[in-house]
């Protein structure tokens, strides 16, 4: 029934995996299995599931949790006031998903009722907004790009080197860079640029399909002169010559997104450098880029276009936007004071 439910909707792989995890948690904590008949699910199973969720640690990563089942986590940490538990909002997300699944079952006559109806209040305590990400400061940039991994000649760089440097000089999102294809590195009117697009260039590898955060994320970003100076064009030409479709084929998918493994590596890399603030993460490169645009005199509207932010006014939707020449002129202003400049 669950597989049929998922097949009816065109959801992103990440969303589908999240729903599957919700169902797996329900089956594990209620003592059921995937082969259980759907009629065996009753109100008691759902109520026991909700009680278990309220005792489940909110964060379940690290050595303390690696080998434990959900039930074992609850036995070990459920009564501890020192271990944060799932909040009501997180519980509601899971129940809402499973309620929708059982509505499908009810509509298609798998069963007569929906045991998830009315079990959890939609009201939840207001979530405290997480502290915003912060840009990297000059010392942190010097630490990142002064690391020994960046001392090797650029022609020996791997995908992780290029992805990190491009994040600074293009201000793009991690997955936008990681999923770039050779065909996305283009030239028009003498200007080299990245085509940030969800369009597929071919189907020669088994990587996840390209996707963008929003419709406004599709854009053209002129390649910063520093990236060309470092040899990015030569790198792309080499990938093309050996028949690679992706710009950084060694950045391989390890999950629902191409950059999942890279993201974990970058987190460990920052920790190794002593950059441990939860507000300093990969996304900090976008904040650093935005600050550089301000400090270098790049107009706000141009910075918004380069970063793929949607327009803030109705007027922003008129016309075709800034020309590639104007964008390139503004990109050349941007400087970070790194050792590459």
């Amino acid at each position: 029934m669950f597989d049929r439910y998922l097949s009816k909707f065109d959801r992103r792989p990440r969303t589908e995996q999240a729903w599957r995890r919700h169902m797996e948690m329900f089956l594990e904590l209620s003592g059921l299995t995937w082969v259980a008949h759907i009629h065996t699910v009753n109100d008691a199973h759902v109520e026991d599931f909700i009680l278990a969720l309220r005792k489940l640690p909110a964060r379940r990563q690290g050595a303390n949790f690696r080998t434990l089942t959900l039930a074992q986590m609850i036995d070990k940490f459920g009564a501890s006031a020192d271990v944060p538990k799932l909040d009501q909002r997180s519980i509601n997300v899971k129940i809402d998903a499973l309620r929708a699944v059982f509505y499908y079952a009810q509509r298609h006559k798998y069963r007569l009722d929906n045991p998830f109806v009315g079990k959890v209040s939609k009201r939840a305590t207001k979530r405290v907004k997480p502290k915003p990400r912060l840009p990297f400061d000059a010392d942190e940039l010097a630490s990142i790009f002064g690391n020994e991994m960046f001392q090797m000649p650029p022609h020996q760089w791997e995908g992780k080197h290029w992805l990190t440097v491009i994040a600074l000089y293009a201000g793009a999102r991690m997955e936008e860079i990681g999923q770039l294809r050779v065909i996305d590195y283009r030239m028009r009117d003498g200007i080299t640029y990245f085509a940030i697009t969800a369009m597929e260039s071919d189907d020669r590898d088994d990587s996840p399909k390209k996707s963008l955060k929003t419709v406004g994320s599709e854009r053209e970003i002129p390649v910063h002169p520093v990236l060309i100076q470092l040899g990015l064009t030569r790198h792309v030409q080499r990938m093309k010559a050996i028949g690679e479709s992706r710009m950084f084929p060694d950045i391989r998918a390890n999950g629902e997104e191409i950059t999942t493994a890279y993201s974990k590596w970058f987190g460990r890399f920052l920790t190794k450098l002593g950059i441990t603030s939860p507000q300093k993460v990969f996304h900090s490169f976008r904040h650093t880029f935005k600050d550089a645009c301000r400090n270098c005199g790049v107009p706000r509207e141009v910075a918004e276009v380069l970063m793929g932010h949607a327009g803030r006014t109705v007027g922003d939707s008129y016309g075709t936007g800034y020309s590639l020449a104007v964008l390139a002129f503004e990109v050349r202003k941007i400087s970070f004071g790194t050792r590459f400049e």
Side-chain angles (χ1 to χ4, degrees), residues 305-339:
V305 170
L306 292 172
M307 299 184 70
H309 289 153
R312 299 183 182 183
T313 68
V314 174
D316 289 336
S317 64
Y318 283 70
T320 57
Y322 290 97
S323 70
L324 188 61
V326 169
L327 296 178
F329 176 80
E330 298 297 340
V331 164
R332 286 193 289 269
K333 295 180 181 179
I334 300 172
S335 172
F336 301 93
T338 68
R339 53 183 291 270

Side-chain angles (χ1 to χ4, degrees), residues 194-210:
F194 298 109
I196 306 297
T197 172
M199 293 180 62
E200 297 294 330
S201 57
D202 54 54
D203 296 309
R204 287 184 289 170
D205 62 45
D206 57 357
S207 299
K209 296 299 183 182
K210 293 171 67 179

Side-chain angles (χ1 to χ4, degrees), residues 242-311:
I242 63 177
E244 289 286 357
S245 62
R246 292 182 51 226
M247 284 176 58
F248 313 113
D250 60 314
I251 300 291
R252 304 301 302 175
N254 183 18
E256 63 274 12
E257 294 185 337
I258 288 174
T259 54
T260 300
Y262 167 83
S263 177
K264 294 178 181 178
W265 170 85
F266 186 77
R268 296 192 298 270
F269 177 60
L270 287 185
T271 300
K272 180 181 177 182
L273 296 177
I275 304 173
T276 58
S277 168
Q279 295 171 271
K280 300 292 183 77
V281 295
F282 183 89
H283 199 72
S284 294
F285 281 126
R286 278 174 63 79
H287 290 266
T288 308
F289 184 88
K290 188 64 175 289
D291 274 357
C293 288
R294 295 187 182 105
N295 296 331
C296 297
V298 176
R300 180 188 64 80
E301 295 83 357
V302 174
E304 299 287 345
V305 170
L306 292 172
M307 299 184 70
H309 289 153

